Amino acid sequence: MTENNRKFYLENGYVILKSALSETEIKTIHSDIHTIIKQQLQTLGLKVESETNASTIFSDMRKLHSADLNKYLASLKLCAKTISIFQGLMNPNVLNFTKSLGITLPVFQTQPVFHVMAEKLRIQDGYFGVGAHQDWPALQSGLDTVTTWVPLVPVKANSYTLEIIPKSHLLGFCESNETQNIHEIPAEVYKHLDFIKIQMDPGDVLVFSVFLIHKSETPSNSDAFRMAYSMRYENASDLTFISRNYPFSQKRVVDRALAAEDIPKIKDVQKRFQ
């Protein structure tokens, strides 16, 4: 199957690795995400769902979104940093497949991206899907870099599916217009090509080239809910990456101002070591 998937990927610019992650791995990620959300709800004295599944996570996200938007946004940022998601990135099925594509020295220059989309979780003036684009401009690393996209809930038609143009990776780096979040590709570049909707189940892993043109579906279903994470596997041994001195287009900034003046207190620190 690895060889068949490899050939399909090279030809089409993407492939779906079915059930690459186990049900246990997905449940662990669900548990960590739900715990982060519930902890903030409990600080507000709000009731939380006792069971953990896609439906109860969505329910508690909606409660937190309505009660305190800052706490909600902070929680989503933290969800991307859970060890369970990083362990999913190190899944042997995924790593072995990227190795079959020639990514002999994989590196992660950024952290995973946690994607949550639902009409009932919309943020005013916030990210809510983007137009047609390629991932390479956000990285500018090896030409064989791949993106992995992992749904944590079923993603079917009319539920914020990813829409892709098969074989569009062979167009190379496309003409685009720089916007706040992406280099958006004008419709005239791909008007002769057709998008297809990628439908997946939790545990499936979509692997696609950073040159593949893709976008998010805008569903008519107001109850649709999508939760997923993505990551880029960059090849430190790609010759173009080496020749350009390993460029890194994203910047990291440390805010050295204390987030709260009364923390840490001496007694609280000492208590951790008793």
Side-chain angles (χ1 to χ4, degrees):
M1 286 303 295
T2 296
E3 181 59 20
N4 290 340
N5 284 335
R6 189 184 75 87
K7 289 180 178 178
F8 186 92
Y9 172 89
L10 294 176
E11 179 181 352
N12 295 281
Y14 80 98
V15 71
I16 298 174
L17 305 180
K18 295 295 295 182
S19 302
L21 272 65
S22 69
E23 182 178 352
T24 298
E25 288 174 294
I26 296 298
K27 285 184 175 180
T28 301
I29 294 172
H30 280 182
S31 177
D32 288 350
I33 291 169
H34 200 191
T35 296
I36 289 171
I37 300 297
K38 290 193 295 183
Q39 287 173 165
Q40 289 297 336
L41 285 172
Q42 289 165 340
T43 66
L44 297 171
L46 297 176
K47 184 179 179 181
V48 301
E49 300 283 354
S50 57
E51 296 184 11
T52 295
N53 52 53
S55 178
T56 57
I57 293 173
F58 183 30
S59 174
D60 278 343
M61 280 184 174
R62 288 172 58 186
K63 292 176 195 172
L64 187 57
H65 177 275
S66 298
D68 192 315
L69 197 55
N70 287 332
K71 287 183 179 292
Y72 171 75
L73 292 173
S75 297
L76 295 195
K77 290 177 182 177
L78 190 60
C79 286
K81 303 170 185 176
T82 58
I83 290 296
S84 56
I85 283 182
F86 277 92
Q87 289 172 329
L89 296 174
M90 302 303 292
N91 179 283
N93 294 324
V94 180
L95 286 177
N96 289 338
F97 182 68
T98 60
K99 182 179 291 187
S100 78
L101 298 177
I103 300 179
T104 55
L105 184 54
V107 293
F108 296 146
Q109 294 203 87
T110 63
Q111 69 181 38
V113 179
F114 185 53
H115 308 272
V116 174
M117 296 186 71
E119 183 62 38
K120 295 174 182 177
L121 296 173
R122 184 183 284 271
I123 307 296
Q124 185 177 359
D125 300 324
Y127 167 87
F128 204 73
V130 291
H133 66 285
Q134 299 170 308
D135 283 352
W136 191 81
L139 304 167
Q140 300 180 39
S141 54
L143 303 187
D144 55 358
T145 299
V146 301
T147 295
T148 58
W149 194 89
V150 184
L152 298 172
V153 298
V155 180
K156 306 301 180 183
N158 209 27
S159 64
Y160 301 103
T161 59
L162 280 188
E163 296 183 334
I164 68 167
I165 300 179
K167 304 181 188 299
S168 59
H169 64 308
L170 299 177
L171 297 174
F173 183 42
C174 295
E175 172 192 347
S176 58
N177 301 314
E178 186 175 352
T179 66
Q180 181 178 356
N181 295 309
I182 59 169
H183 281 251
E184 186 162 0
I185 301 173
E188 54 263 27
V189 172
Y190 55 83
K191 64 182 179 181
H192 61 295
L193 303 171
D194 293 323
F195 282 95
I196 65 170
K197 298 180 187 296
I198 299 296
Q199 302 189 50
M200 303 170 65
D201 293 306
D204 296 345
V205 176
L206 172 66
V207 181
F208 61 95
S209 164
V210 287
F211 291 102
L212 191 76
I213 299 175
H214 62 286
K215 63 180 181 177
S216 295
E217 173 194 38
T218 303
S220 58
N221 177 14
S222 61
D223 292 322
F225 170 57
R226 189 187 83 181
M227 183 170 63
Y229 69 88
S230 65
M231 188 60 167
R232 285 73 175 256
Y233 293 70
E234 302 173 65
N235 185 9
S237 294
D238 177 82
L239 294 179
T240 67
F241 191 36
I242 297 169
S243 66
R244 290 177 288 124
N245 299 331
Y246 307 128
F248 180 56
S249 59
Q250 302 188 22
K251 307 302 179 185
R252 295 179 180 176
V253 177
V254 177
D255 184 356
R256 301 193 185 280
L258 295 180
E261 293 182 359
D262 59 340
I263 293 178
K265 293 179 179 178
I266 293 177
K267 64 180 181 65
D268 291 331
V269 174
Q270 293 178 345
K271 185 177 179 181
R272 298 302 188 273
F273 297 95
Q274 291 174 357

